[in-house]
Amino acid sequence: MTIKTKLNIVYYASILMGVAAAIIAFFGARDWGWHIDSQSTSGITISYIIILYIMLSVPGGLGIHNRMLKRLAKESTQIKESKYIKYSIARLVFIAIGFAVSIFFFYILRQQSLIFCAGIAAIGIYFCKPTAERISYELSWTENKQENQ
């Protein structure tokens, strides 16, 4: 399997995880009465934790991924590719968790700010979309660093 194929599987699985969270929470809130008052202590705490997680995970996931890629300059090509896949999957999962959780709790808490958080995370996931150009560009950072040193 190529790098792009592996990352595309994780990319689309993260989107499907958000869709599954929406379906489960929608039917849970509608049919089974899952609801937390958004003005209660637990509702406020949950929404603050999700907002904080989104605010830290999207820029943090993207930034940490870039820093980790720059450290790969000294590695061999095979190790570089395997670590690139691991780092990219970790970045996608890190952001996708916030995406799915904010969609889920949007239905449970019925709080509009959580759908905005899901939108922010969706944009972060979109920035992680694996294309052949992106993969070669990100792997070229390590090659350029290696040639310049």
Side-chain angles (χ1 to χ4, degrees), residues 23-119:
I23 292 169
I24 292 168
F26 174 77
F27 287 112
R30 188 186 76 177
D31 297 338
W32 301 306
W34 295 353
H35 177 69
I36 299 173
D37 183 26
S38 62
Q39 299 303 316
S40 69
T41 305
S42 59
I44 292 171
T45 304
I46 290 169
S47 64
Y48 281 153
I49 289 171
I50 293 170
I51 291 169
L52 183 63
Y53 182 82
I54 295 293
M55 289 175 59
L56 295 175
S57 70
V58 173
L62 297 172
I64 290 171
H65 181 262
N66 289 338
R67 274 180 270 176
M68 296 302 281
L69 285 182
K70 290 177 183 176
R71 292 183 184 172
L72 293 178
K74 298 174 185 171
E75 304 289 340
S76 67
T77 304
Q78 186 177 10
I79 294 173
K80 196 182 297 186
E81 288 178 357
S82 69
K83 285 189 177 183
Y84 176 78
I85 291 170
K86 288 178 187 176
Y87 296 157
S88 297
I89 289 173
R91 171 183 63 175
L92 276 166
V93 169
F94 195 55
I95 297 172
I97 289 170
F99 177 62
V101 168
S102 57
I103 289 174
F104 183 83
F105 279 104
F106 165 73
Y107 286 104
I108 304 302
L109 292 172
R110 297 181 184 131
Q111 191 172 23
Q112 190 175 12
S113 63
L114 295 179
I115 202 68
F116 295 131
C117 289

Side-chain angles (χ1 to χ4, degrees), residues 127-138:
F127 286 148
C128 299
K129 183 169 175 45
T131 61
E133 295 82 22
R134 174 183 296 275
I135 293 168
S136 63
Y137 176 70
E138 287 179 343

